[in-house]
């Protein structure tokens, strides 16, 4: 039974790494040894689990079923060892996370430092990517993503939510005037995120959609903020992102009763059965980020 469990673990690593060579490097055993162990496992089961080519491996139908079962068994076995060894009280190990660049730099950098002070036995490997990484093949423990997520097999843990508001610099407003209704934004320079040319704003039960335009459209929140500070137009952004600029008077809230759509922030994991290091990190983020949701009410 022990040999079966060991070979199951090797099989799962091969599938996650999408090949024997990558898996062998991760595990630290010769490629030939790993290939032989998987072949012996297939012989013992009596079914082919993998179709091998010179460039890649593919799961057979039986292999997919076996992989799903093995992954759950190994996860539960790992969690059982953690509980018995007391790791739940002091989590440790390497935590691989994937973050969008803007959210990581604006919000998570100071929180990561605080977390490592609380849990010094946890180390981080961070992937800054706007795309949803394949958690299994990249061996990612948790991915932080902004906005509603497409249906998938991933488990979503809601961390917080944002709601955009309108801001502009005092100089821009002095030069070009202050709108009294969202529809007047069509007469102004507006700084848009990516190709979002329609700003939807809500006041109680009223909703207005405004087709905005401007010289600048990009996918970096930090640069959008900087352009607004340089008097280049209106910005619709969560106030939590520019709270220091607001306090200093560098950016002025406009039409504060009108707010954008609610944007949730999620931590995504492959399964509900997550190890102590991952669970502790997600709970820490929920606690730390919860306060940000009320900043806009205090402005």
């Amino acid at each position: 039974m022990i040999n079966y469990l060991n070979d199951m673990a090797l099989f799962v690593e091969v599938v996650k790494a999408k090949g024997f060579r990558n898996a062998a490097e991760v595990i630290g055993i010769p490629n030939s040894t790993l290939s032989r162990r998987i072949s012996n496992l297939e012989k013992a089961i009596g079914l082919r689990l993998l179709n091998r080519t010179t460039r890649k491996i593919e799961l057979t139908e039986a292999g997919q079923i076996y992989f799903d079962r093995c992954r759950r068994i190994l996860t539960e076995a790992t969690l059982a060892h953690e509980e018995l060894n007391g790791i739940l009280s002091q989590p440790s190990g390497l935590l691989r996370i994937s973050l969008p660049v803007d959210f990581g730099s604006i919000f998570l950098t100071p929180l990561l430092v605080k977390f490592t002070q609380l849990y010094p036995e946890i180390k981080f490997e961070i992937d800054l990517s706007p795309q949803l990484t394949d958690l299994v093949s990249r061996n990612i423990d948790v991915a932080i993503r902004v906005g509603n997520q497409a249906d998938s097999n991933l488990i979503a843990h809601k961390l917080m939510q944002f709601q955009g508001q309108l801001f502009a610099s005092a100089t821009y407003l002095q030069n070009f005037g202050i709108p009294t209704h969202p529809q007047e934004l069509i007469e102004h320079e507006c700084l848009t995120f990516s190709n979002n040319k329609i700003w939807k704003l809500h006041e109680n039960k009223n909703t207005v959609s405004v087709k905005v335009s401007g010289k600048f459209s990009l996918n970096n929140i930090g640069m959008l903020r900087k352009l607004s500070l340089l008097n280049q137009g209106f910005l619709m952004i969560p106030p939590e992102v520019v709270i220091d600029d607001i306090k200093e008077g560098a950016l002025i809230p406009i039409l504060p009763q009108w707010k954008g759509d609610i944007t949730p922030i999620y931590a995504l994991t492959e399964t509900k059965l997550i190890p102590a290091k991952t669970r502790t990190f997600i709970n820490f983020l929920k606690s730390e980020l919860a306060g940000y949701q009320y900043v806009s009410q205090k402005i």
Side-chain angles (χ1 to χ4, degrees):
M1 179 59 71
I2 296 299
N3 287 337
Y4 264 124
L5 288 174
N6 289 336
D7 289 344
M8 285 166 57
L10 295 179
F11 169 69
V12 168
E13 289 300 325
V14 169
V15 176
K16 289 168 65 176
K18 296 185 177 180
F20 285 92
R21 180 174 298 177
N22 291 338
E25 291 178 358
V26 171
I27 300 168
I29 64 174
N31 189 15
S32 58
T33 301
L34 180 58
S35 180
R36 185 178 68 253
R37 292 279 294 273
I38 300 303
S39 294
N40 290 339
L41 178 64
E42 290 177 317
K43 291 177 182 177
I45 295 172
L47 291 170
R48 179 176 290 277
L49 303 174
L50 299 170
N51 289 322
R52 301 161 173 80
T53 67
T54 55
R55 292 188 176 183
K56 63 180 179 179
I57 57 103
E58 291 182 351
L59 285 167
T60 63
E61 183 179 355
Q64 183 65 61
I65 296 171
Y66 194 64
F67 173 70
D68 292 337
R69 294 286 183 89
C70 289
R71 190 172 47 174
R72 287 196 293 269
I73 291 169
L74 293 169
T75 300
E76 293 204 25
T78 300
L79 294 177
H81 276 279
E82 285 190 356
E83 291 178 339
L84 292 176
N85 292 329
I87 295 179
L88 282 175
S89 60
Q90 188 61 35
S92 63
L94 179 63
L95 188 61
R96 296 180 176 89
I97 61 176
S98 176
L99 307 170
V101 175
D102 286 326
F103 189 79
S105 60
I106 293 171
F107 290 100
L108 287 198
T109 300
L111 295 185
L112 291 173
V113 173
K114 183 176 181 179
F115 184 80
T116 56
Q117 292 170 345
L118 294 172
Y119 303 97
E121 297 303 314
I122 292 182
K123 293 179 171 53
F124 284 94
E125 187 175 292
I126 302 172
D127 170 54
L128 294 174
S129 171
Q131 303 301 321
L132 182 58
T133 304
D134 184 343
L135 304 190
V136 177
S137 64
R138 294 291 301 279
N139 215 14
I140 298 292
D141 296 299
V142 58
I144 310 298
R145 289 296 179 264
V146 178
N148 292 311
Q149 301 299 304
D151 291 338
S152 71
N153 293 324
L154 299 177
I155 306 301
H157 313 261
K158 189 174 181 181
L159 300 178
M160 63 184 299
Q161 63 186 32
F162 284 137
Q163 196 166 16
Q165 291 183 229
L166 295 169
F167 299 93
S169 69
T171 299
Y172 179 89
L173 296 172
Q174 183 178 355
N175 291 338
F176 300 102
I178 301 174
T180 59
H181 189 275
Q183 288 291 1
E184 296 176 23
L185 291 170
I186 62 176
E187 302 170 5
H188 288 269
E189 284 287 318
C190 294
L191 300 162
T192 58
F193 189 80
S194 297
N195 293 316
N196 180 20
K197 304 296 185 181
I198 305 293
W199 283 359
K200 188 180 290 186
L201 291 152
H202 311 275
E203 181 194 34
N204 298 324
K205 295 182 179 180
N206 299 319
T207 298
V208 173
S209 294
V210 185
K211 187 175 182 179
V212 297
S213 62
K215 298 184 184 72
F216 298 100
S217 179
L218 54 149
N219 64 350
N220 183 277
I221 291 175
M223 191 171 178
L224 284 171
R225 167 185 166 271
K226 186 66 174 178
L227 286 167
S228 186
L229 290 169
L230 291 172
N231 316 314
Q232 295 304 301
F234 279 92
L235 183 68
M236 187 163 76
I237 197 169
E240 295 85 347
V241 177
V242 292
I243 186 64
D244 291 336
D245 301 318
I246 298 168
K247 290 178 179 178
E248 294 169 3
L251 289 179
I252 310 299
I254 303 302
L255 302 173
Q257 72 274 24
W258 291 91
K259 295 179 174 61
D261 289 334
I262 292 174
T263 302
I265 312 294
Y266 292 103
L268 303 177
T269 58
E270 177 194 351
T271 174
K272 291 181 180 179
L273 296 170
I274 53 178
K277 61 182 181 181
T278 309
R279 181 167 55 253
T280 301
F281 181 61
I282 291 174
N283 289 338
F284 169 81
L285 292 183
K286 285 181 178 179
S287 175
E288 292 293 321
L289 293 173
Y292 282 110
Q293 299 178 39
Y294 305 99
V295 172
S296 60
Q297 299 178 16
K298 300 175 184 177
I299 295 174

